[in-house]
Amino acid sequence: MKFLLTRQDSHTSEIMGADTVALCKLQGFSPRLENDRQSREEANAFGYKAEFAIARLFNAEPPVINVLSDGGVDVWLDDIPVDVKFTNDEYGPLIFDSMQKFRAEIAILVGRTDDDDVMSINGWVTRKEFKQKADKQNFGYGDRLFLRHTDMNPIAELWHFLAKRKWGVE
């Protein structure tokens, strides 16, 4: 599913991305970046764009800047914690360093498109499903757990999952 951000959400994401890097530098540490093709500010901005897309799609609270950590939760859908993962490849894999890093109940994968204001929402998976299905691969920074977007649940099915959890709908 393709999702077009509003100009305001796109702009806010870019400001939040720059602010996050500035806050890290004020705290005396360099933000982690394992991508030589973009700045840390740009990487953060696209992460926020992905979070805005999911928040708007599901009518949830938009993302905020977290000074220390978000605890592995980017968005709350009802009372369910969600980790929104962004990939610079439109249909890249969902990657976690380890199962300990997958702290939310659900992860949603969002990819970059040719249009910086259009996000590709590629699928979702529960923590339990990810643990069962994930493979290991070294992407150049040590072994990571990953799942191809084709092995994830279609985003359209997430509403049913949420409704079933909230109201017991089948």
Side-chain angles (χ1 to χ4, degrees), residues 2 12 20 34 56 67 69 96 126 144 150 155 169-170:
K2 301 293 190 274
T12 301
T20 298
E34 297 174 344
R56 298 302 188 211
V67 176
S69 170
F96 281 94
T126 65
R144 305 276 171 83
T150 53
I155 197 65
V169 175
E170 280 294 330

Side-chain angles (χ1 to χ4, degrees), residues 61-143:
E61 292 291 320
V64 297
I65 292 177
N66 298 290
V67 176
L68 294 178
S69 170
D70 62 14
V73 178
D74 298 311
V75 176
W76 287 87
L77 301 181
D78 291 324
D79 200 33
I80 298 174
V82 177
D83 192 343
V84 178
K85 290 292 194 179
F86 177 78
T87 173
N88 277 306
D89 297 321
E90 186 168 353
Y91 298 106
L94 173 68
I95 300 172
F96 281 94
D97 292 346
S98 66
M99 280 310 299
Q100 291 76 24
K101 298 285 185 170
F102 191 154
R103 296 184 195 125
E105 189 171 334
I106 292 172
I108 299 176
L109 179 63
V110 178
R112 186 173 185 170
T113 68
D114 292 335
D115 184 333
D116 288 349
D117 294 328
V118 175
M119 301 289 103
S120 180
I121 302 173
N122 296 329
W124 68 281
V125 65
T126 65
R127 187 178 192 283
K128 181 179 178 182
E129 289 173 315
F130 183 82
K131 186 175 184 178
Q132 293 169 345
K133 295 179 180 180
D135 291 317
K136 284 186 181 178
Q137 183 173 329
N138 186 332
F139 293 92
Y141 311 100
D143 280 348

